[in-house]
Amino acid sequence: MVPLLEDSFGRRITYLRISVTDRCDFRCVYCMSEHMSFLPKRDLLTLEELDRVASAFVERGVNKLRITGGEPLVRRNVMSLFRALSRHLQTGALTELTVTTNGSQLARHAAELADCGVRRVNVSLDTLDPETFRTITRWGDLDRVMVGIEAARAAGLQVKINMVALRDANAHEIEPMLRWCHAEGHDLTLIETMPLGEIEADRTDQYLPLSAVRAKLAERYTLTDLTDRTGGPARYVRVEETGGRLGFITPLTHNFCESCNRVRLTCTGTLFLCLGQDHAVDLRAPLRQSEADEALHRAIDEGMAIKPRGHDFVIERRNARPAVARHMSVTGG
Ligand code: SAM
Ligand code: SF4
């Protein structure tokens, strides 16, 4: 028997996010630069190796897995990973297997995701306007994402929309997005931009504090705080007029770290202990060292020992460099 995961601050780790690829078919302006260099394919963990690491975490008490990226659904044969991981749902060890996606490949995969036991998907959608969509994602096609969202619904998946709030690009679309989401039965979560990785744009120009967004919405809607806590930076309200849920992810303006329950695995097998810090351990070498999992578990324990108390993101002009150099698409959002 291997012990349950707990870090040096006594926080139980029950949630693993896995970035299965750093590649993507979009180039969202806040996430990537247009000309990204991606990791060589040979550095990636195979899907079987990703399953082995994830399963080691499940053995240690992780009960929620989120598959993300880059765009997870562009990784070749990724459904075989969902299929393999679904066995932990069947045993009850996992309570949730889920995915964060840009929606471009959802039409193709929604039914199979549902068949693998996925119940909810997060789809990133920053605008309902095709032109703005093209401007923000550079390469994306809104129609295709809408078809994907519809396919998800048809497959019985609950859809949560994630919208990054950008001061100039989509601030005026937050309210229409809220109305659309709730009319369609989707929850909406707003996200503040985080200073991750070099991009062409100036982040201080994009940053829109959600405290201001909330105050503005509160002039027109009754927002009732909900107590649901995810162990992450999201806080939820019910919008009484629409009956739907609205989340605010505010990593910059709030401190949520004391209840952090999560760690992140990259597609090359690096375990990051905090989205906003560089503390990490390599799991690929111990994984490949032997077929037994002892070395892997030891490395996971080393990770627990160095998980930092919290992040220290700041977006300000004096400090123009990103808080951490790696992009969100590497660590997995
Ligand atoms: N490609 C998938 C998608 O877009 O949903 C999954 C990976 S993406 C990195 C996960 C989430 O991170 C998306 O909702 C995206 O909008 C968000 N994101 C990316 N870069 C960000 C940044 N610098 N600040 C805040 N959110 C970011
Ligand atoms: Fe791709 Fe998601 Fe980053 Fe957009 S946010 S570039 S869809 S990884």
Side-chain angles (χ1 to χ4, degrees):
M1 276 293 284
V2 277
L4 298 178
L5 296 179
E6 191 174 293
D7 74 1
S8 62
F9 300 99
R11 295 174 295 195
R12 285 277 320 280
I13 303 305
T14 54
Y15 182 9
L16 175 67
R17 292 181 169 226
I18 306 174
S19 174
V20 297
T21 176
D22 63 330
R23 289 167 199 253
C24 188
D25 52 346
F26 292 2
R27 289 289 181 278
C28 302
V29 289
Y30 48 76
C31 178
M32 293 193 183
S33 63
E34 184 149 23
H35 306 285
M36 294 285 289
S37 35
F38 292 111
L39 295 161
K41 291 223 166 93
R42 63 174 184 280
D43 286 354
L44 264 51
L45 296 190
T46 64
L47 293 169
E48 291 73 22
E49 287 172 327
L50 285 168
D51 174 45
R52 201 176 133 202
V53 181
S55 300
F57 276 92
V58 171
E59 210 186 327
R60 307 288 302 268
V62 161
N63 56 30
K64 177 169 176 181
L65 293 178
R66 177 175 299 280
I67 307 300
T68 179
E71 175 45 42
L73 300 184
V74 301
R75 174 135 186 199
R76 186 180 307 176
N77 209 15
V78 71
M79 291 315 298
S80 67
L81 178 63
F82 283 95
R83 184 63 65 190
L85 293 174
S86 71
R87 72 187 184 282
H88 299 301
L89 288 169
Q90 280 152 16
T91 64
L94 264 190
T95 50
E96 182 158 36
L97 172 62
T98 186
V99 59
T100 299
T101 173
N102 66 21
S104 68
Q105 315 294 318
L106 253 186
R108 204 150 54 95
H109 294 305
E112 197 175 354
L113 285 170
D115 196 51
C116 290
V118 173
R119 294 285 162 261
R120 304 193 296 175
V121 293
N122 287 2
V123 181
S124 303
L125 181 65
D126 300 328
T127 170
L128 294 170
D129 177 75
E131 296 270 300
T132 313
F133 189 82
R134 176 64 72 162
T135 309
I136 293 177
T137 62
R138 291 195 185 102
W139 296 1
D141 173 10
L142 179 63
D143 279 349
R144 196 174 157 137
V145 171
M146 290 309 215
V147 171
I149 292 173
E150 203 39 55
R153 185 217 304 271
L157 298 171
Q158 221 180 301
V159 175
K160 181 160 80 74
I161 301 294
N162 283 342
M163 175 182 192
V164 174
L166 301 166
R167 203 182 68 190
D168 297 324
N170 69 0
H172 58 286
E173 289 195 64
I174 291 174
E175 195 186 337
M177 181 68 88
L178 173 72
R179 278 194 261 106
W180 178 79
C181 284
H182 289 180
E184 296 287 312
H186 310 317
D187 287 344
L188 171 65
T189 298
L190 302 173
I191 309 178
E192 267 175 5
T193 51
M194 292 175 244
L196 301 176
E198 298 283 354
I199 54 170
E200 282 103 353
D202 179 348
R203 291 188 193 278
T204 50
D205 287 347
Q206 301 182 359
Y207 180 57
L208 173 63
L210 292 184
S211 49
V213 172
R214 183 179 170 147
K216 188 131 188 288
L217 287 173
E219 291 170 8
R220 304 219 21 207
Y221 298 92
T222 316
L223 308 178
T224 308
D225 281 312
L226 297 174
T227 49
D228 319 26
R229 287 284 161 94
T230 58
R235 296 288 174 267
Y236 294 95
V237 298
R238 176 166 303 287
V239 181
E240 299 301 342
E241 289 76 4
T242 61
R245 267 176 21 132
L246 172 65
F248 298 91
I249 301 194
T250 55
L252 298 163
T253 52
H254 267 215
N255 221 319
F256 50 87
C257 302
E258 69 279 4
S259 60
C260 184
N261 61 355
R262 62 199 58 192
V263 290
R264 295 172 157 85
L265 181 72
T266 71
C267 55
T268 56
T270 303
L271 183 70
F272 279 101
L273 287 314
C274 173
L275 183 62
Q277 301 272 13
D278 289 326
H279 304 65
V281 291
D282 172 45
L283 300 186
R284 187 173 58 184
L287 183 73
R288 290 182 177 169
Q289 188 178 317
S290 87
E291 277 174 26
D293 285 342
E294 279 96 35
L296 176 61
H297 283 298
R298 266 198 310 277
I300 294 173
D301 286 331
E302 282 163 28
M304 291 301 113
I306 62 164
K307 182 168 164 64
R309 184 188 285 273
H311 70 70
D312 39 34
F313 287 128
V314 258
I315 290 191
E316 54 176 341
R317 287 193 193 275
R318 264 188 304 126
N319 180 7
R321 299 221 347 268
V324 289
R326 60 187 190 278
H327 291 86
M328 183 79 119
S329 51
V330 172
T331 329

mmCIF file with all atom_site columns, all heavy atoms in Angstrom, residues 23-28 30-32 69-71 102 124 329, ligand 2:
data_model
loop_
_atom_site.group_PDB
_atom_site.id
_atom_site.type_symbol
_atom_site.label_atom_id
_atom_site.label_alt_id
_atom_site.label_comp_id
_atom_site.label_asym_id
_atom_site.label_entity_id
_atom_site.label_seq_id
_atom_site.pdbx_PDB_ins_code
_atom_site.Cartn_x
_atom_site.Cartn_y
_atom_site.Cartn_z
_atom_site.occupancy
_atom_site.B_iso_or_equiv
_atom_site.pdbx_formal_charge
_atom_site.auth_seq_id
_atom_site.auth_comp_id
_atom_site.auth_asym_id
_atom_site.auth_atom_id
_atom_site.pdbx_PDB_model_num
ATOM   1   N  N   . ARG A 1 23  ? 0.956   21.099 -28.252 1.00 0.00 ? 23  ARG A N   1
ATOM   2   C  CA  . ARG A 1 23  ? 0.551   21.618 -29.567 1.00 0.00 ? 23  ARG A CA  1
ATOM   3   C  C   . ARG A 1 23  ? -0.905  22.062 -29.573 1.00 0.00 ? 23  ARG A C   1
ATOM   4   O  O   . ARG A 1 23  ? -1.693  21.611 -28.752 1.00 0.00 ? 23  ARG A O   1
ATOM   5   C  CB  . ARG A 1 23  ? 0.735   20.533 -30.633 1.00 0.00 ? 23  ARG A CB  1
ATOM   6   C  CG  . ARG A 1 23  ? 2.191   20.301 -30.900 1.00 0.00 ? 23  ARG A CG  1
ATOM   7   C  CD  . ARG A 1 23  ? 2.453   19.044 -31.686 1.00 0.00 ? 23  ARG A CD  1
ATOM   8   N  NE  . ARG A 1 23  ? 3.847   18.703 -31.492 1.00 0.00 ? 23  ARG A NE  1
ATOM   9   C  CZ  . ARG A 1 23  ? 4.799   18.846 -32.409 1.00 0.00 ? 23  ARG A CZ  1
ATOM   10  N  NH1 . ARG A 1 23  ? 4.499   19.238 -33.614 1.00 0.00 ? 23  ARG A NH1 1
ATOM   11  N  NH2 . ARG A 1 23  ? 6.049   18.564 -32.122 1.00 0.00 ? 23  ARG A NH2 1
ATOM   12  N  N   . CYS A 1 24  ? -1.234  22.873 -30.539 1.00 0.00 ? 24  CYS A N   1
ATOM   13  C  CA  . CYS A 1 24  ? -2.607  23.339 -30.629 1.00 0.00 ? 24  CYS A CA  1
ATOM   14  C  C   . CYS A 1 24  ? -2.911  23.771 -32.052 1.00 0.00 ? 24  CYS A C   1
ATOM   15  O  O   . CYS A 1 24  ? -2.021  24.194 -32.787 1.00 0.00 ? 24  CYS A O   1
ATOM   16  C  CB  . CYS A 1 24  ? -2.814  24.519 -29.679 1.00 0.00 ? 24  CYS A CB  1
ATOM   17  S  SG  . CYS A 1 24  ? -4.549  24.993 -29.565 1.00 0.00 ? 24  CYS A SG  1
ATOM   18  N  N   . ASP A 1 25  ? -4.188  23.675 -32.423 1.00 0.00 ? 25  ASP A N   1
ATOM   19  C  CA  . ASP A 1 25  ? -4.613  24.129 -33.746 1.00 0.00 ? 25  ASP A CA  1
ATOM   20  C  C   . ASP A 1 25  ? -5.068  25.586 -33.710 1.00 0.00 ? 25  ASP A C   1
ATOM   21  O  O   . ASP A 1 25  ? -5.479  26.123 -34.732 1.00 0.00 ? 25  ASP A O   1
ATOM   22  C  CB  . ASP A 1 25  ? -5.705  23.201 -34.307 1.00 0.00 ? 25  ASP A CB  1
ATOM   23  C  CG  . ASP A 1 25  ? -6.867  22.986 -33.348 1.00 0.00 ? 25  ASP A CG  1
ATOM   24  O  OD1 . ASP A 1 25  ? -6.730  23.329 -32.146 1.00 0.00 ? 25  ASP A OD1 1
ATOM   25  O  OD2 . ASP A 1 25  ? -7.912  22.473 -33.780 1.00 0.00 ? 25  ASP A OD2 1
ATOM   26  N  N   . PHE A 1 26  ? -5.039  26.238 -32.541 1.00 0.00 ? 26  PHE A N   1
ATOM   27  C  CA  . PHE A 1 26  ? -5.303  27.671 -32.420 1.00 0.00 ? 26  PHE A CA  1
ATOM   28  C  C   . PHE A 1 26  ? -4.017  28.354 -31.939 1.00 0.00 ? 26  PHE A C   1
ATOM   29  O  O   . PHE A 1 26  ? -3.085  27.686 -31.492 1.00 0.00 ? 26  PHE A O   1
ATOM   30  C  CB  . PHE A 1 26  ? -6.396  27.970 -31.386 1.00 0.00 ? 26  PHE A CB  1
ATOM   31  C  CG  . PHE A 1 26  ? -7.797  27.520 -31.757 1.00 0.00 ? 26  PHE A CG  1
ATOM   32  C  CD1 . PHE A 1 26  ? -8.074  26.843 -32.931 1.00 0.00 ? 26  PHE A CD1 1
ATOM   33  C  CD2 . PHE A 1 26  ? -8.855  27.789 -30.888 1.00 0.00 ? 26  PHE A CD2 1
ATOM   34  C  CE1 . PHE A 1 26  ? -9.369  26.434 -33.242 1.00 0.00 ? 26  PHE A CE1 1
ATOM   35  C  CE2 . PHE A 1 26  ? -10.149 27.388 -31.195 1.00 0.00 ? 26  PHE A CE2 1
ATOM   36  C  CZ  . PHE A 1 26  ? -10.406 26.713 -32.366 1.00 0.00 ? 26  PHE A CZ  1
ATOM   37  N  N   . ARG A 1 27  ? -4.030  29.676 -31.989 1.00 0.00 ? 27  ARG A N   1
ATOM   38  C  CA  . ARG A 1 27  ? -2.901  30.457 -31.458 1.00 0.00 ? 27  ARG A CA  1
ATOM   39  C  C   . ARG A 1 27  ? -3.473  31.636 -30.672 1.00 0.00 ? 27  ARG A C   1
ATOM   40  O  O   . ARG A 1 27  ? -3.270  32.798 -31.049 1.00 0.00 ? 27  ARG A O   1
ATOM   41  C  CB  . ARG A 1 27  ? -2.027  30.997 -32.608 1.00 0.00 ? 27  ARG A CB  1
ATOM   42  C  CG  . ARG A 1 27  ? -1.221  29.968 -33.344 1.00 0.00 ? 27  ARG A CG  1
ATOM   43  C  CD  . ARG A 1 27  ? -0.067  29.442 -32.479 1.00 0.00 ? 27  ARG A CD  1
ATOM   44  N  NE  . ARG A 1 27  ? 0.725   28.458 -33.199 1.00 0.00 ? 27  ARG A NE  1
ATOM   45  C  CZ  . ARG A 1 27  ? 0.390   27.164 -33.324 1.00 0.00 ? 27  ARG A CZ  1
ATOM   46  N  NH1 . ARG A 1 27  ? -0.731  26.715 -32.785 1.00 0.00 ? 27  ARG A NH1 1
ATOM   47  N  NH2 . ARG A 1 27  ? 1.171   26.339 -33.976 1.00 0.00 ? 27  ARG A NH2 1
ATOM   48  N  N   . CYS A 1 28  ? -4.240  31.353 -29.620 1.00 0.00 ? 28  CYS A N   1
ATOM   49  C  CA  . CYS A 1 28  ? -4.887  32.443 -28.884 1.00 0.00 ? 28  CYS A CA  1
ATOM   50  C  C   . CYS A 1 28  ? -3.848  33.475 -28.429 1.00 0.00 ? 28  CYS A C   1
ATOM   51  O  O   . CYS A 1 28  ? -2.782  33.112 -27.935 1.00 0.00 ? 28  CYS A O   1
ATOM   52  C  CB  . CYS A 1 28  ? -5.648  31.890 -27.692 1.00 0.00 ? 28  CYS A CB  1
ATOM   53  S  SG  . CYS A 1 28  ? -6.880  30.682 -28.202 1.00 0.00 ? 28  CYS A SG  1
ATOM   54  N  N   . TYR A 1 30  ? -3.479  35.511 -25.987 1.00 0.00 ? 30  TYR A N   1
ATOM   55  C  CA  . TYR A 1 30  ? -3.004  35.605 -24.606 1.00 0.00 ? 30  TYR A CA  1
ATOM   56  C  C   . TYR A 1 30  ? -2.235  34.363 -24.193 1.00 0.00 ? 30  TYR A C   1
ATOM   57  O  O   . TYR A 1 30  ? -1.646  34.313 -23.121 1.00 0.00 ? 30  TYR A O   1
ATOM   58  C  CB  . TYR A 1 30  ? -4.191  35.824 -23.645 1.00 0.00 ? 30  TYR A CB  1
ATOM   59  C  CG  . TYR A 1 30  ? -5.328  34.870 -23.897 1.00 0.00 ? 30  TYR A CG  1
ATOM   60  C  CD1 . TYR A 1 30  ? -5.244  33.550 -23.490 1.00 0.00 ? 30  TYR A CD1 1
ATOM   61  C  CD2 . TYR A 1 30  ? -6.455  35.278 -24.606 1.00 0.00 ? 30  TYR A CD2 1
ATOM   62  C  CE1 . TYR A 1 30  ? -6.258  32.655 -23.762 1.00 0.00 ? 30  TYR A CE1 1
ATOM   63  C  CE2 . TYR A 1 30  ? -7.485  34.384 -24.870 1.00 0.00 ? 30  TYR A CE2 1
ATOM   64  C  CZ  . TYR A 1 30  ? -7.367  33.082 -24.441 1.00 0.00 ? 30  TYR A CZ  1
ATOM   65  O  OH  . TYR A 1 30  ? -8.381  32.187 -24.730 1.00 0.00 ? 30  TYR A OH  1
ATOM   66  N  N   . CYS A 1 31  ? -2.295  33.322 -25.025 1.00 0.00 ? 31  CYS A N   1
ATOM   67  C  CA  . CYS A 1 31  ? -1.725  32.023 -24.646 1.00 0.00 ? 31  CYS A CA  1
ATOM   68  C  C   . CYS A 1 31  ? -0.420  31.732 -25.367 1.00 0.00 ? 31  CYS A C   1
ATOM   69  O  O   . CYS A 1 31  ? 0.545   31.283 -24.754 1.00 0.00 ? 31  CYS A O   1
ATOM   70  C  CB  . CYS A 1 31  ? -2.741  30.926 -24.941 1.00 0.00 ? 31  CYS A CB  1
ATOM   71  S  SG  . CYS A 1 31  ? -2.181  29.255 -24.573 1.00 0.00 ? 31  CYS A SG  1
ATOM   72  N  N   . MET A 1 32  ? -0.386  31.980 -26.673 1.00 0.00 ? 32  MET A N   1
ATOM   73  C  CA  . MET A 1 32  ? 0.776   31.585 -27.471 1.00 0.00 ? 32  MET A CA  1
ATOM   74  C  C   . MET A 1 32  ? 1.211   32.734 -28.352 1.00 0.00 ? 32  MET A C   1
ATOM   75  O  O   . MET A 1 32  ? 0.428   33.637 -28.643 1.00 0.00 ? 32  MET A O   1
ATOM   76  C  CB  . MET A 1 32  ? 0.409   30.427 -28.401 1.00 0.00 ? 32  MET A CB  1
ATOM   77  C  CG  . MET A 1 32  ? 0.096   29.144 -27.706 1.00 0.00 ? 32  MET A CG  1
ATOM   78  S  SD  . MET A 1 32  ? 0.067   27.820 -28.906 1.00 0.00 ? 32  MET A SD  1
ATOM   79  C  CE  . MET A 1 32  ? -0.422  26.452 -27.868 1.00 0.00 ? 32  MET A CE  1
ATOM   80  N  N   . GLY A 1 69  ? -4.129  20.645 -22.344 1.00 0.00 ? 69  GLY A N   1
ATOM   81  C  CA  . GLY A 1 69  ? -2.982  20.812 -23.222 1.00 0.00 ? 69  GLY A CA  1
ATOM   82  C  C   . GLY A 1 69  ? -2.508  22.254 -23.170 1.00 0.00 ? 69  GLY A C   1
ATOM   83  O  O   . GLY A 1 69  ? -2.748  22.940 -22.176 1.00 0.00 ? 69  GLY A O   1
ATOM   84  N  N   . GLY A 1 70  ? -1.997  22.685 -24.266 1.00 0.00 ? 70  GLY A N   1
ATOM   85  C  CA  . GLY A 1 70  ? -2.228  22.522 -25.681 1.00 0.00 ? 70  GLY A CA  1
ATOM   86  C  C   . GLY A 1 70  ? -3.687  22.089 -25.936 1.00 0.00 ? 70  GLY A C   1
ATOM   87  O  O   . GLY A 1 70  ? -4.525  22.200 -25.075 1.00 0.00 ? 70  GLY A O   1
ATOM   88  N  N   . GLU A 1 71  ? -3.947  21.667 -27.125 1.00 0.00 ? 71  GLU A N   1
ATOM   89  C  CA  . GLU A 1 71  ? -5.297  21.165 -27.389 1.00 0.00 ? 71  GLU A CA  1
ATOM   90  C  C   . GLU A 1 71  ? -5.261  19.636 -27.269 1.00 0.00 ? 71  GLU A C   1
ATOM   91  O  O   . GLU A 1 71  ? -4.712  18.963 -28.139 1.00 0.00 ? 71  GLU A O   1
ATOM   92  C  CB  . GLU A 1 71  ? -5.778  21.628 -28.767 1.00 0.00 ? 71  GLU A CB  1
ATOM   93  C  CG  . GLU A 1 71  ? -7.112  21.055 -29.184 1.00 0.00 ? 71  GLU A CG  1
ATOM   94  C  CD  . GLU A 1 71  ? -8.182  21.094 -28.079 1.00 0.00 ? 71  GLU A CD  1
ATOM   95  O  OE1 . GLU A 1 71  ? -8.299  22.092 -27.357 1.00 0.00 ? 71  GLU A OE1 1
ATOM   96  O  OE2 . GLU A 1 71  ? -8.888  20.072 -27.924 1.00 0.00 ? 71  GLU A OE2 1
ATOM   97  N  N   . ASN A 1 102 ? -10.563 23.389 -26.738 1.00 0.00 ? 102 ASN A N   1
ATOM   98  C  CA  . ASN A 1 102 ? -11.007 24.566 -27.490 1.00 0.00 ? 102 ASN A CA  1
ATOM   99  C  C   . ASN A 1 102 ? -12.224 24.234 -28.358 1.00 0.00 ? 102 ASN A C   1
ATOM   100 O  O   . ASN A 1 102 ? -12.748 25.112 -29.039 1.00 0.00 ? 102 ASN A O   1
ATOM   101 C  CB  . ASN A 1 102 ? -9.861  25.152 -28.328 1.00 0.00 ? 102 ASN A CB  1
ATOM   102 C  CG  . ASN A 1 102 ? -9.394  24.225 -29.436 1.00 0.00 ? 102 ASN A CG  1
ATOM   103 O  OD1 . ASN A 1 102 ? -10.107 23.328 -29.862 1.00 0.00 ? 102 ASN A OD1 1
ATOM   104 N  ND2 . ASN A 1 102 ? -8.169  24.452 -29.908 1.00 0.00 ? 102 ASN A ND2 1
ATOM   105 N  N   . SER A 1 124 ? -13.363 26.323 -24.112 1.00 0.00 ? 124 SER A N   1
ATOM   106 C  CA  . SER A 1 124 ? -12.911 27.714 -24.060 1.00 0.00 ? 124 SER A CA  1
ATOM   107 C  C   . SER A 1 124 ? -13.519 28.481 -25.214 1.00 0.00 ? 124 SER A C   1
ATOM   108 O  O   . SER A 1 124 ? -13.391 28.069 -26.372 1.00 0.00 ? 124 SER A O   1
ATOM   109 C  CB  . SER A 1 124 ? -11.385 27.763 -24.144 1.00 0.00 ? 124 SER A CB  1
ATOM   110 O  OG  . SER A 1 124 ? -10.866 26.989 -23.098 1.00 0.00 ? 124 SER A OG  1
ATOM   111 N  N   . SER A 1 329 ? 0.040   26.474 -22.250 1.00 0.00 ? 329 SER A N   1
ATOM   112 C  CA  . SER A 1 329 ? -0.134  25.280 -23.079 1.00 0.00 ? 329 SER A CA  1
ATOM   113 C  C   . SER A 1 329 ? 0.862   24.181 -22.721 1.00 0.00 ? 329 SER A C   1
ATOM   114 O  O   . SER A 1 329 ? 0.698   23.036 -23.117 1.00 0.00 ? 329 SER A O   1
ATOM   115 C  CB  . SER A 1 329 ? 0.013   25.658 -24.552 1.00 0.00 ? 329 SER A CB  1
ATOM   116 O  OG  . SER A 1 329 ? 1.209   26.385 -24.742 1.00 0.00 ? 329 SER A OG  1
HETATM 117 FE FE1 . SF4 B 2 .   ? -4.635  26.553 -27.894 1.00 0.00 ? 2   SF4 B FE1 1
HETATM 118 FE FE2 . SF4 B 2 .   ? -6.090  26.565 -25.695 1.00 0.00 ? 2   SF4 B FE2 1
HETATM 119 FE FE3 . SF4 B 2 .   ? -3.844  28.046 -25.864 1.00 0.00 ? 2   SF4 B FE3 1
HETATM 120 FE FE4 . SF4 B 2 .   ? -5.952  28.744 -27.299 1.00 0.00 ? 2   SF4 B FE4 1
HETATM 121 S  S1  . SF4 B 2 .   ? -5.837  28.671 -25.059 1.00 0.00 ? 2   SF4 B S1  1
HETATM 122 S  S2  . SF4 B 2 .   ? -3.827  28.587 -28.048 1.00 0.00 ? 2   SF4 B S2  1
HETATM 123 S  S3  . SF4 B 2 .   ? -6.848  26.827 -27.792 1.00 0.00 ? 2   SF4 B S3  1
HETATM 124 S  S4  . SF4 B 2 .   ? -3.967  25.867 -25.883 1.00 0.00 ? 2   SF4 B S4  1
#
